[in-house]
Amino acid sequence: MEGTTLTVRYFAGARAAAGRAEEALPAGRSLDDLTAELTQRHGDRLAGVLRVASFLVDGVTCHDRQAPLPAGATIDVLPPFAGG
């Protein structure tokens, strides 16, 4: 089933807002489509995190939010981190 899904992994504040560490969703969508669905699933708290988060697609920063995400990809949701 790996080839027909995306794995979304949440870190730090994104994990707290989503209420989970990761989830699998059907493939065949862009990052903008994915974030819209995640907002619908998990509500305003996660929506706020997603607006300021960075996204990695299979470990690479995603710059084109309209490009189709590859089936089987892992999407990391990284909210801004404090500290240094």
Side-chain angles (χ1 to χ4, degrees):
M1 181 142 150
E2 177 180 305
T4 61
T5 62
L6 303 170
T7 300
V8 180
R9 299 189 306 183
Y10 301 103
F11 293 87
R15 179 182 292 183
R20 64 189 65 219
E22 71 177 52
E23 64 185 306
L25 295 165
R29 63 190 71 210
S30 69
L31 186 58
D32 280 344
D33 295 336
L34 180 66
T35 57
E37 181 171 336
L38 294 174
T39 295
Q40 184 176 23
R41 283 177 172 237
H42 300 293
D44 291 340
R45 186 171 174 209
L46 182 59
V49 173
L50 295 174
R51 279 192 289 276
V52 297
S54 297
F55 299 90
L56 301 180
V57 178
D58 290 334
V60 178
T61 302
C62 181
H63 295 289
D64 183 356
R65 296 178 60 100
Q66 296 296 317
L69 296 167
T74 298
I75 315 303
D76 293 331
V77 181
L78 306 171
F81 291 96

